[in-house]
Coordinates of all heavy atoms in Angstrom, one line a residue:
G1130 N 108.9 105.8 90.4 CA 109.4 106.8 89.5 C 109.6 106.3 88.1 O 109.4 106.9 87.1
A1131 N 110.2 105.0 88.0 CA 110.4 104.4 86.8 C 109.1 104.1 86.0 O 109.0 104.0 84.8 CB 111.2 103.1 87.0
C1132 N 108.0 104.0 86.8 CA 106.7 103.7 86.2 C 106.0 105.1 85.7 O 105.0 105.0 85.1 CB 105.7 103.1 87.3 SG 106.0 101.4 87.6
G1133 N 106.7 106.2 86.1 CA 106.1 107.5 85.6 C 105.3 108.2 86.7 O 104.7 109.2 86.4
V1134 N 105.4 107.8 87.9 CA 104.7 108.4 89.0 C 105.5 109.6 89.4 O 106.7 109.5 89.8 CB 104.4 107.5 90.2 CG1 103.7 108.3 91.3 CG2 103.5 106.3 89.7
T1135 N 105.0 110.8 89.4 CA 105.7 112.0 89.7 C 104.9 112.8 90.9 O 103.9 112.4 91.3 CB 105.8 113.0 88.5 OG1 104.4 113.4 88.1 CG2 106.4 112.2 87.3
E1136 N 105.5 113.9 91.2 CA 104.8 114.8 92.2 C 103.4 115.3 91.7 O 102.5 115.4 92.4 CB 105.7 116.0 92.5 CG 107.0 115.7 93.2 CD 106.8 115.2 94.7 OE1 105.7 115.3 95.2 OE2 107.8 114.7 95.2
E1137 N 103.4 115.5 90.4 CA 102.2 116.0 89.7 C 101.2 114.8 89.6 O 100.0 115.1 89.6 CB 102.4 116.6 88.4 CG 103.2 117.9 88.4 CD 104.7 117.7 88.7 OE1 105.2 116.6 88.5 OE2 105.3 118.6 89.3
G1138 N 101.7 113.6 89.4 CA 100.8 112.5 89.3 C 100.8 111.8 88.0 O 101.0 112.4 86.9
L1139 N 100.5 110.5 88.0 CA 100.3 109.7 86.8 C 98.9 109.4 86.6 O 98.2 108.9 87.5 CB 101.1 108.3 86.9 CG 100.9 107.3 85.8 CD1 101.6 107.8 84.5 CD2 101.4 106.0 86.2
A1140 N 98.3 109.7 85.4 CA 96.9 109.6 85.2 C 96.5 108.1 85.2 O 97.2 107.2 84.7 CB 96.5 110.2 83.9
R1141 N 95.3 107.8 85.7 CA 94.8 106.5 85.7 C 94.8 105.8 84.3 O 95.0 104.6 84.2 CB 93.4 106.5 86.3 CG 92.8 105.1 86.7 CD 91.5 105.2 87.4 NE 91.1 104.0 88.0 CZ 90.3 103.1 87.4 NH1 89.9 103.3 86.2 NH2 89.9 102.0 88.0

Side-chain angles (χ1 to χ4, degrees):
C1132 286
V1134 178
T1135 64
E1136 296 289 349
E1137 294 74 23
L1139 174 70
R1141 192 175 190 269

